[in-house]
Amino acid sequence: MNFIICGCPMSSETALPVSLPRYPIATALALSLAAAIALGISRLSYGLLLTPMRTDLGWSYLLAGSMNTANALGYFIGALAVPALTRRLNVWRLLVIGSVLTSVFLLLSGVVTDAIALILLRLGAGAASASVFVIGGVLATRLGSMHREQAGFLIGLYYGGTGFGIALSALLVPAALSAAPQLGGAHDWQWAWFALGIACLLATAIMALPARTIGEIPSDLTSKSEFSVKDFGFALAGYFMFGVGYIAYMTFVITLLKQQGMQAETITLFYTLLGVAVVLSSRLWAPMLDRFKGGESLAIFNAIAGVVSILPAVTSAVPVVFMSGLAFGMVLLSAVASTTVLVRHNLPQESWSSAISVFTVVFAFGQIIGPALVGWIADGPGGLERGLVVSAVALFIGAALASQQKALS
């Protein structure tokens, strides 16, 4: 069957900017802050807040995991809405509006304590961040098409920006929690949400002008693009399983390490290094992303993530746990980049936005299932260890599926 999105003008050949950005690497770095906002801060920072919020508010693991499930559900809804939104707003304006709204939802999360209200705010943050991440990905892909000799690196650099958000969150959240008693307030974790929201606003201000140099798209351009789901069935299935498995690790691994007795300073270092690994991965995997035209890269990333996600469940040895975090960071957003590169290798430019939207929707659907499923399992006798094993199994299944994806002729 064909997945058709009408009015997705951002990928049209006729919409190329008048002039190329003079500094593509600097532009990609600035654009990478969109990924930092959408995933690194808005979603993945929650793993650092799960334990203090759960302890303070008396949540079960199912409810705690449902917070990120709500965020992923919002992301799913937002990804579906992106094509319609691009018919009404130019992509740069939508990128900035989405970033500002994401920041506002994070700030408001520091104001309320009711579980329903927090779930709704997580839902809103997910919906707003979807437009940021999808449009940032399309702009990064176009930037790569302008500088073909650096395409894999530039696209990987954009997605690696999530690591900036992870590393920044790893530093901001503990600092805010430590300063909270002096700042006052009923709940220490609320100050962490304020810090994260302000960080997103600052990142938006830094990103806005460089992102605009990639080129604006006329809002009245009504090109039609097509994407055949059946041609990418195995890649989509493998990417869905990656969404299920990776988000469970990122949601619960910090809580597991705290349960195992790891010191707060060591956990901060663990999560910071994981974020740094995400950033460095853009250079590490660039040759492979440029070389493989089918699902090979996604399969490799799924398999590596599956192996290393089991490690914290079977041992609390600090060197092994750190190896798990570093390796997981190395593949975390590279798997996302691999699907964008797969689209670029196999489809004409006018179909990129449709294809990226479909992959984003599938990814979001996997992330909806992952946190609640693992949280439900963690509430049982096996605890978080069994939950991480289940997430690893999902990643191994994803590797097997993605390996069957062939390049299109």
Side-chain angles (χ1 to χ4, degrees):
M1 77 184 217
N2 287 337
F3 187 98
I4 302 175
I5 299 180
C6 301
C8 292
M10 66 183 87
S11 296
S12 173
E13 292 283 1
T14 62
L16 288 174
V18 175
S19 60
L20 303 183
R22 293 178 59 189
Y23 306 103
I25 293 178
T27 302
L29 278 171
L31 188 62
S32 73
L33 293 177
I37 293 167
L39 286 186
I41 300 177
S42 175
R43 178 175 303 160
L44 300 181
S45 65
Y46 174 68
L48 296 162
L49 285 163
L50 187 150
T51 297
M53 293 182 72
R54 178 175 177 267
T55 301
D56 183 34
L57 300 174
W59 291 348
S60 66
Y61 280 122
L62 176 59
L63 178 56
S66 295
M67 292 292 163
N68 253 7
T69 289
N71 186 260
L73 176 60
Y75 189 89
F76 178 81
I77 296 169
L80 288 174
V82 165
L85 290 173
T86 57
R87 291 197 293 270
R88 294 166 175 79
L89 293 170
N90 60 50
V91 292
W92 179 83
R93 185 171 287 113
L94 185 56
L95 179 74
V96 173
I97 291 173
S99 298
V100 171
L101 283 176
T102 301
S103 307
V104 170
F105 284 123
L106 295 185
L107 289 168
L108 291 176
S109 297
V111 177
V112 300
T113 59
D114 179 71
I116 299 300
L118 285 166
I119 283 177
L120 291 175
L121 288 170
R122 296 298 289 157
L123 183 79
S129 65
S131 64
V132 179
F133 195 66
V134 173
I135 290 174
V138 172
L139 290 175
T141 306
R142 291 183 59 214
L143 182 65
S145 72
M146 301 172 202
H147 302 274
R148 297 182 185 277
E149 72 285 353
Q150 298 177 288
F153 175 58
L154 294 174
I155 294 171
L157 197 61
Y158 165 72
Y159 288 111
T162 301
F164 292 129
I166 293 172
L168 182 60
S169 299
L171 299 174
L172 278 180
V173 171
L177 292 174
S178 298
Q182 288 73 44
L183 296 171
H187 307 277
D188 292 350
W189 50 265
Q190 292 177 307
W191 289 102
W193 286 117
F194 295 149
L196 294 170
I198 293 170
C200 283
L201 287 174
L202 292 174
T204 301
I206 296 171
M207 167 191 69
L209 289 180
R212 195 166 194 172
T213 66
I214 298 174
E216 195 46 82
I217 311 301
S219 59
D220 59 348
L221 195 64
T222 57
S223 60
K224 178 184 292 187
S225 59
E226 295 187 6
F227 172 67
S228 178
V229 171
K230 67 179 181 181
D231 289 340
F232 292 89
F234 284 113
L236 289 166
Y239 198 38
F240 166 79
M241 297 308 296
F242 183 80
V244 172
Y246 108 88
I247 192 60
Y249 180 94
M250 293 300 295
T251 300
F252 291 107
V253 68
I254 298 298
T255 299
L256 176 60
L257 297 182
K258 289 180 178 179
Q259 284 185 2
Q260 294 173 343
M262 184 177 285
Q263 296 297 313
E265 296 81 4
T266 308
I267 290 176
T268 297
L269 180 60
F270 166 85
Y271 212 60
T272 302
L273 290 177
L274 190 156
V276 171
V278 174
V279 177
L280 296 178
S281 66
S282 58
R283 173 62 73 181
L284 175 66
W285 302 111
M288 186 178 78
L289 293 176
D290 285 332
R291 176 185 175 189
F292 290 129
K293 312 299 183 184
E296 299 93 338
S297 296
L298 180 58
I300 291 169
F301 294 140
N302 262 298
I304 294 174
V307 170
V308 301
S309 64
I310 291 178
L311 298 180
V314 299
T315 179
S316 59
V318 172
V320 177
V321 170
F322 269 62
M323 183 179 71
S324 168
L326 286 169
F328 202 90
M330 285 291 184
V331 302
L332 175 58
L333 267 294
S334 297
V336 181
S338 73
T339 62
T340 301
V341 175
L342 176 69
V343 165
R344 180 178 173 273
H345 281 316
N346 291 280
L347 291 174
Q349 189 172 0
E350 59 267 20
S351 296
W352 287 353
S353 62
S354 296
I356 291 172
S357 293
V358 177
F359 272 99
T360 301
V361 167
V362 167
F363 187 49
F365 190 56
Q367 292 175 102
I368 292 171
I369 295 173
L373 173 64
V374 173
W376 174 69
I377 292 170
D379 281 327
L384 285 173
E385 290 85 354
R386 181 175 294 178
L388 287 186
V389 170
V390 170
S391 71
V393 170
L395 291 164
F396 289 137
I397 294 172
L401 290 167
S403 68
Q404 301 304 305
Q405 178 65 53
K406 306 302 180 185
L408 303 186
S409 58

